[in-house]
Amino acid sequence: MIEGPNAPGLFFVFEGGEGAGKSTQSAALADYLASRGHTVVRTREPGGTPAAEAIRGILLDPANTGLDDRAEALLFAASRGDHAARVIRPALQRGDIVISDRFMDSSVAYQGVGRDLGLEKVAELSLWATGGLRPDLTILLDVDPQIGLARVVGPDRLESEPLEWHRRVRQGFLDIAATDPDRYLVLDASRPAEDLAVEITVVVEGLVQDA
Ligand code: TYD
């Protein structure tokens, strides 16, 4: 019987800077959990519903360079609101395991810290947009932005920001994780992907069994 905050489902999120390997690890975790008989919904932000994917297009388009910082934060929150209401919450209510590449901490780190809009303000905005939805566990794949950005092919609008900006975003993620160690698994993403996958599986398996 699952008793976490998102019971009867469980909600796992992968966070981190560019090129940290989030999609590789979330796909591996989804495959593992599915092989153990769980129903898994794998999704991503910004996106996850047709409207949210349309908003994603606006947000990542380099043609929108210079987009107002608050407008940017609101668009990420709007996309998250639709995603939470129409994909994540229904799946959790069915008792599924939801795995998302990015969620509210991306807004807190990129808009709150990177754009200097304030951690608390941006966290509040995201919680308002989703009616207070929070992951059961966030896996933070931490990587030096110089290494991560070198892995990016054809940078989008946010990836095109200077290295110094990405360094602040990285520190933002680490600071968020440090405030609530029970809800975060922070991993050095420069380690081999197979080792990371094993460590993630062990921690998640513990939560699935406790649940
Ligand atoms: P994406 O191509 O999905 O990046 P990645 O593959 O690194 O996850 O693009 C998402 C970009 O949007 C990425 O640069 C992070 C940024 N972002 C925010 O700035 N705020 C947010 O709330 C989210 C979800 C993403």
Side-chain angles (χ1 to χ4, degrees), residues 18 22 56 60 76 80 102 106-107 110-111 156 158:
E18 319 298 332
K22 292 182 297 299
R56 176 188 176 89
L60 300 189
F76 277 114
R80 180 163 307 125
R102 298 193 182 280
S106 280
S107 284
Y110 282 82
Q111 282 67 54
D156 61 40
L158 287 129

Side-chain angles (χ1 to χ4, degrees), residues 81-96:
D82 198 49
H83 186 213
R86 297 169 69 189
V87 173
I88 303 174
R89 281 193 185 279
L92 294 172
Q93 278 155 13
R94 291 193 300 268
D96 297 350

